Structure formats: C-alpha cells, structure tokens
Amino acid sequence: MNIKTYIVFSFVFFGFIATAQDVLTTDEAMKLALEHNYGIKIATNTVEVADNNQGILNSGYLPTLTGNAGASIDVQNSDGELANGETRVADGAETRRYNASINLNYTLFDGMGRLYNYKRLKEEYLLSELEARQTIETTMVQLFSIYYTIAQLSENSDVLEETLIISKDRLRRSGYQFDYGQNTKLDVLNAEVDINNDSISVINIKQQLKNTKRDLNVVLGNKKSEEFRVETELNFLLELNKETLLEKMKANNVSLLQAESNINISEYDIKTSKAQFLPTVGLVGSYGWNESTNNSPLAFTLQNTNTGVSAGLNLTWNLFDGGGTITRVKNTKLFLENQKLQKEQLIIDIERNFNNAWDNYQNKLLIFQVQEDNIKTAQNNFDRTEEKFKLGQVTSIEFRQAQLNLLNAELSRNQAKYDAKLAELDVLQISGELLNVQF
C-alpha cells in the first residue's frame, strides 16, 4: 500500500470513527474519575479508617468487661485416722472445682489524657479529609491536563488534515499545469514531497492522540474505550478577581489547612503528655461463682458453692518516671514550634506561587489573544497567496510557505489556548477553588 492509498484509507477510516465516537464532556470525565480512579478510592478508604478511629468505640471512654471461667478435677489416693482411732482409706477420690466471673474495669480519671486523645482523633479525621481532598485536586489537575492535551491534539489533527487536503489539491493543479506545459516536473515533485511530509504528520498525531486517550483512560479507572472525542470549546473564567482569590487562598488552600491541622494535633499531644503528671483513678468490679465437690470420705464438706459481688477503686500515680514525661513534653513543644514556623514559611511560598500563577495566567491569556489575531493575518495572507497561485502569479514554494505560515499560526493558537486554560487551573488549585467551579 503506497502512501497516497494509505492516506485515503486513513481519512475514510478516521472519518468513520469520528462519526461513531461519543463525546466525553469534562463533567462526565470528572464523574468517572471521582468514582473509579484508584488513587481517589484509596484516599476514600483512608478517610473511612480515620472516621472509625474517631468513634466512641476507640475513645477509651467505655469500660472493659471480661469474662472468665474454669474447671478442674483432682484425683487422689489418701488415708486418714479418725479421732476414735479408726483408719479410713480413700482411693481415687475426686475433687471437682468450677468457677466463673465477670470483671469490670473503668477509668474514672486519667488526667484528661483520654479527652485530649479523643480530640486528637477528631483532628486526625479532619486531616485525612484534607489529604483526600488534596489527592482529588491532584487527580483533577492530571485529568484536565490530559483531557486538554487530547483536545489540542484533536484540533491539531484537524488542522493537519486540512493542510494535507490543500497539498493534495496543489499536487493536482501542479499535475495539470505540467501536462499543459505551464510548469516543470520539479513543481510536481515538490508537491509530492510536501504531501508525504503532511501525511507523516497526520499519521504521527493520530498515534499521539491514541496514546493520550489511553493515558486519560488510566486516570478514569479504565472505564472508557479509546473511541471517544472530547470537547474543544473552552470557557475562561475571566471574572476571576485576584484579591478575592488571594483571600480565599488563605482560608481554603489545602496545604495551609493541613499545616493548621497538624498544629492542632501537636497541641493535643502536649496536653496528652502533661496528663501523665496526674494520677489515674479506676473503678473495678466483679461478680463471681465458685463451686467444688469432693467424694472423699475424709472430706468434711462434700459440696461448696460461693457467689458474690465485689467492687473497688484504685489509684495509680506515677510520681517519677526517670524524666521521660518531662522530656516528651519538651520535645513536643519544640515540634509544635517547628510546625508553626513551617506554616509561616508555607504562607510565604504559597503567596509567591499564587502571584506567579496569576501573572502566568494573565500572560497566557494575552498570548492567546495575540495568536487569535495572528490567525487572521496568516489566513488572509494564505487566501491571497492561494488566489495568486491559481493564477500562476506566485511559485509553489511561495504558496507552500504561506501554507506553512498558516499551519504554524493555527498550531500556535491551539497551544496558547490550552496553555491558558491549564494556567487557569493552576490559579484555582492554589487558591483552593479548583473543586468549587464549573468547567
């Protein structure tokens, strides 16, 4: 199969596929990722673990209740002398003992350590939610980055196919002109070379498009076939206000919220450590049953049964543990101080990143607008050159140059278009608004 036949077949094949493909919208892509992305699923399970840990069953506030039971049999041979001088022998005398009890232990006071640990578990749950949100935001950025790459490749593919059509028309005209002696064989050969180059570009971009769709499918949890198209119409959030986003960033940026949560956890750790300086008061109680039987003729009691309830309080006070608790409190305070310093540093870094992202977004929008204007100039130049080429007033080389200028302008416009959208996503992520806007 020669290159021309292959291209014709490719146009027919891909044209058929394009009509059969479903359009994957950004909303649908987000929904599929949230439901099926494996990273998000793992993060969700981690949140459930933290939710279980913060429950009353893991708080230490409930008592412990244990049950014990036992049984034993003793077989002994014994002999004994009674008061009247009579001697008795007991061979194989059995003694059976049975017991059962229920024991209750409950901590009444532990220096408030239990309370602070419970609050710490609550804060760890909030931290796990923030970590899950960070995973979702990262996945969404990855999703949109691949999605818009597909959109850009799709538009570039259309541009390259249109370029190939123009090149084929040029070859046909060059062939006619050569047949009528209006140009040389060199013009025909140049047109064939350009067709081959354009054909290779089309083949390469089709393969890139397939590969990128597979990349997107991985993010979606392998829930889409490769036969789909994406939306290429973009809406920019031009009403974004820098000062408003900056304030939202300070309140909603996930990294800052995580830093604040870690500070809260460290404060609870300090209080929990200090609680070890205080005594622990506990309540104990039990209900027991004991029974023993003895078939020995020497035994005074053949069966004995006891039942009873007992209760009491105990106090434990670690008066001095070698200084371990003091050391832990000091180290935890220093760790808390470091976390506060890290948060201050993080605020500076994030503000810088936000300002950089905002300026980058504005520049990308400006470049996109310039490229839109450049398209008009390149299209006008190409149309004029094409008219002159048909009239034989310009050479095929000049026509090809105008064609390449238009192609490059369209490819640059597409690049600028999606660069601007990705820059917008960067601004939204840093400001903490990525999951709060409609794409």
Side-chain angles (χ1 to χ4, degrees):
M1 181 183 294
N2 59 39
I3 189 66
K4 294 180 181 178
T5 306
Y6 179 81
I7 291 302
V8 172
F9 172 78
S10 297
F11 275 133
V12 174
F13 175 74
F14 287 117
F16 172 77
I17 291 297
T19 58
Q21 290 176 345
D22 295 328
V23 176
L24 176 66
T25 64
T26 53
D27 289 341
E28 183 184 358
M30 290 179 64
K31 183 174 181 294
L32 288 173
L34 290 172
E35 291 179 357
H36 304 290
N37 180 269
Y38 289 101
I40 293 178
K41 284 184 176 181
I42 293 172
T44 301
N45 288 339
T46 302
V47 172
E48 290 188 12
V49 170
D51 189 21
N52 293 335
N53 289 338
Q54 71 159 346
I56 189 66
L57 296 178
N58 192 48
S59 65
Y61 275 105
L62 299 180
T64 60
L65 194 64
T66 59
N68 298 306
S72 65
I73 299 177
D74 292 336
V75 180
Q76 296 180 350
N77 298 323
S78 60
D79 58 74
E81 184 177 345
L82 301 180
N84 58 7
E86 181 183 355
T87 299
R88 292 185 180 180
V89 177
D91 294 329
E94 291 185 356
T95 301
R96 297 174 180 266
R97 297 182 179 88
Y98 307 96
N99 65 83
S101 65
I102 296 177
N103 303 299
L104 173 72
N105 284 278
Y106 184 63
T107 300
L108 297 175
F109 177 76
D110 65 346
M112 304 298 287
R114 205 170 30 176
L115 173 64
Y116 298 131
N117 185 62
Y118 182 63
K119 291 182 177 181
R120 185 186 196 280
L121 293 174
K122 291 287 186 182
E123 194 65 41
E124 285 183 344
Y125 170 71
L126 296 178
L127 180 60
S128 70
E129 285 190 322
L130 292 173
E131 291 171 347
R133 175 188 153 189
Q134 187 175 46
T135 299
I136 293 173
E137 287 186 359
T138 302
T139 302
M140 290 300 105
V141 171
Q142 182 186 18
L143 168 70
F144 285 119
S145 178
I146 300 175
Y147 185 95
Y148 291 136
T149 299
I150 294 174
Q152 181 181 342
L153 288 173
S154 299
E155 290 198 289
N156 289 351
S157 178
D158 294 339
V159 171
L160 290 172
E161 287 177 354
E162 179 65 26
T163 300
L164 180 57
I165 292 174
I166 294 172
S167 296
K168 291 172 67 177
D169 181 68
R170 172 188 156 205
L171 175 61
R172 185 174 64 254
R173 290 181 178 276
S174 296
Y176 291 154
Q177 291 172 349
F178 175 73
D179 292 339
Y180 290 99
Q182 296 178 352
N183 62 14
T184 64
K185 184 65 175 178
L186 181 60
D187 290 331
V188 177
L189 294 175
N190 286 335
E192 290 180 347
V193 170
D194 291 337
I195 282 182
N196 291 339
N197 290 333
D198 293 342
S199 301
I200 292 172
S201 297
V202 171
I203 294 170
N204 286 336
I205 201 167
K206 292 294 184 184
Q207 186 59 49
Q208 292 177 29
L209 193 55
K210 283 186 176 181
N211 293 344
T212 311
K213 286 183 178 181
R214 293 190 186 103
D215 292 339
L216 182 62
N217 205 18
V218 170
V219 180
L220 300 179
N222 201 31
K223 292 302 177 181
K224 288 292 290 185
S225 68
E226 295 178 18
E227 310 305 332
F228 66 87
R229 293 180 293 119
V230 299
E231 296 175 322
T232 56
E233 294 294 328
L234 295 184
N235 295 318
F236 292 100
L237 304 176
L238 299 178
E239 70 279 4
L240 294 178
N241 181 273
K242 181 179 180 180
E243 297 303 322
T244 301
L245 287 178
L246 189 59
E247 291 302 317
K248 289 183 177 180
M249 180 205 72
K250 295 177 181 178
N252 298 325
N253 180 273
V254 67
S255 296
L256 287 178
L257 293 175
Q258 284 177 312
E260 184 63 31
S261 184
N262 282 320
I263 289 174
N264 293 336
I265 290 174
S266 293
E267 289 176 344
Y268 290 134
D269 286 340
I270 293 175
K271 294 177 180 179
T272 302
S273 298
K274 286 183 176 180
Q276 297 178 28
F277 289 124
L278 299 176
T280 298
V281 179
L283 171 67
V284 294
S286 68
Y287 172 80
W289 167 80
N290 294 276
E291 180 180 297
S292 68
T293 60
N294 192 332
N295 65 355
S296 172
L298 301 177
F300 292 101
T301 304
L302 299 181
Q303 182 172 350
N304 183 32
T305 302
N306 296 313
T307 58
V309 177
S310 65
L313 293 174
N314 58 49
L315 182 145
T316 303
W317 197 341
N318 191 354
L319 299 178
F320 183 68
D321 62 352
T325 301
I326 296 175
T327 302
R328 283 191 295 273
V329 171
K330 288 181 177 179
N331 290 340
T332 308
K333 287 182 178 179
L334 290 173
F335 184 70
L336 173 61
E337 182 64 24
N338 284 341
Q339 287 187 320
K340 290 181 178 179
L341 293 173
Q342 289 172 356
K343 181 184 176 183
E344 295 300 320
Q345 179 64 45
L346 184 61
I347 291 174
I348 295 174
D349 291 340
I350 291 179
E351 286 183 350
R352 177 205 59 194
N353 294 340
F354 174 80
N355 288 323
N356 290 344
W358 178 265
D359 290 343
N360 183 55
Y361 175 47
Q362 298 302 314
N363 289 336
K364 288 294 192 296
L365 283 176
L366 181 59
I367 292 173
F368 175 53
Q369 294 170 359
V370 171
Q371 292 293 354
E372 287 276 33
D373 295 335
N374 191 36
I375 284 287
K376 298 176 183 178
T377 303
Q379 184 67 55
N380 186 37
N381 177 64
F382 174 75
D383 292 339
R384 291 174 178 271
T385 305
E386 185 179 33
E387 292 177 3
K388 291 183 178 181
F389 176 71
K390 292 177 181 179
L391 297 174
Q393 296 177 357
V394 297
T395 65
S396 60
I397 295 177
E398 293 174 317
F399 175 76
R400 177 63 176 178
Q401 186 59 52
Q403 183 187 20
L404 292 177
N405 289 340
L406 178 60
L407 172 63
N408 292 331
E410 290 177 327
L411 296 180
S412 297
R413 186 269 313 273
N414 293 340
Q415 181 72 47
K417 174 182 176 181
Y418 294 103
D419 282 350
K421 191 61 179 178
L422 292 177
E424 182 181 81
L425 292 177
D426 195 21
V427 171
L428 293 173
Q429 183 183 20
I430 295 175
S431 64
E433 289 294 292
L434 181 63
L435 303 180
N436 299 329
V437 296
Q438 180 68 36
F439 292 95

